[in-house]
Amino acid sequence: MPFRKPDDEGGRPTDVTETLVARGTAGAVAVAWDADQAVTALYSANYRSLVRLAAMLVRDAGTAEEVVQDAFVAMHGGWRRLRDPDKALSYLRQSVVNRSRSVLRHRAVVEKYAPKGLPDAPSAEAGAIGELERSAVIQALHRLPTRQREALVLRYYADLSEAEIAQTMGISRGAVKSHTARGMAALRNILEQFT
């Protein structure tokens, strides 16, 4: 039954909702409350139990606290729309369960689409040795005749087929094979001299 609470400042009266609040086993006591008072009382009496409920569902205390706080904020915002204020605690429990389900669904999606772990990076020594090897190969390539160097670069760095190399260099496929084979042999000899 709605009634009016007198306003302290002499302005217009504020509507207040009459609500029953259960206090342990002592029974229900009728109290007139507005949203702030009702949610504050519910928070004081039920916060810990709701956090325990949420923690059991989401398996994380911090997330459980956020879920419960969000449920209380939503209840406060929708207090006037609450059809039966006597069932506010039931509403909160259901809200906590639903929000916990939402968190679990979000986690499942995040885990499903999480980027895979990056492969282990090579050590600094491996990087330095690799750089030395690359520079030795580049120096050896510069010592090769032009056609052999071009054939090797187009084949192994540009990853072109023999037909593409032949077209690029303006020679036959047989000449590409010959220049590539001779270039590899010469490159091997030069690199053996460096080591």
Side-chain angles (χ1 to χ4, degrees):
M1 140 180 151
F3 60 94
R4 299 201 177 274
K5 175 179 143 188
D7 190 19
D8 297 337
E9 327 251 328
R12 73 181 178 91
T14 308
D15 285 334
V16 179
T17 308
E18 183 178 35
T19 307
L20 295 177
V21 177
R23 295 203 178 160
T25 58
V29 177
V31 180
W33 282 349
D34 65 1
D36 291 340
Q37 293 169 328
V39 172
T40 301
L42 285 167
Y43 186 89
S44 298
N46 301 295
Y47 177 76
R48 287 187 180 142
S49 65
L50 291 172
V51 169
R52 283 193 300 268
L53 170 66
M56 292 299 289
L57 296 173
V58 299
R59 300 176 303 275
D60 175 25
T63 305
E65 289 175 353
E66 289 178 20
V67 163
V68 172
Q69 289 172 5
D70 289 346
F72 275 106
V73 168
M75 170 169 269
H76 184 270
W79 183 256
R80 289 191 181 269
R81 294 186 313 267
L82 193 61
R83 290 183 193 152
D84 188 359
D86 296 334
K87 295 184 180 175
L89 183 56
S90 287
Y91 169 82
L92 274 172
R93 280 192 193 112
Q94 185 163 4
S95 179
V96 166
V97 169
N98 289 340
R99 289 170 189 274
S100 296
R101 286 178 185 158
S102 179
V103 165
L104 293 174
R105 279 191 304 269
H106 178 72
R107 277 187 193 163
V109 169
V110 167
E111 289 172 8
K112 182 177 179 181
Y113 295 106
K116 305 297 181 221
L118 297 174
D120 292 336
S123 69
E125 293 168 345
I129 290 171
E131 184 61 37
L132 286 174
E133 289 173 352
R134 279 190 296 278
S135 66
V137 169
I138 291 171
Q139 287 177 359
L141 275 172
H142 287 297
R143 296 174 122 189
L144 295 177
T146 306
R147 291 283 185 167
Q148 291 177 4
R149 182 174 56 243
E150 289 173 355
L152 289 176
V153 168
L154 290 171
R155 178 72 181 117
Y156 296 105
Y157 287 96
D159 201 29
L160 298 180
S161 68
E162 288 177 356
E164 292 170 324
I165 296 170
Q167 184 179 10
T168 303
M169 292 178 66
I171 58 176
S172 69
R173 288 179 68 181
V176 170
K177 289 180 186 180
S178 176
H179 287 304
T180 303
R182 287 183 187 148
M184 286 299 289
L187 191 61
R188 196 173 300 115
N189 287 334
I190 294 170
L191 289 174
E192 285 175 0
Q193 291 174 2
F194 281 143
T195 58

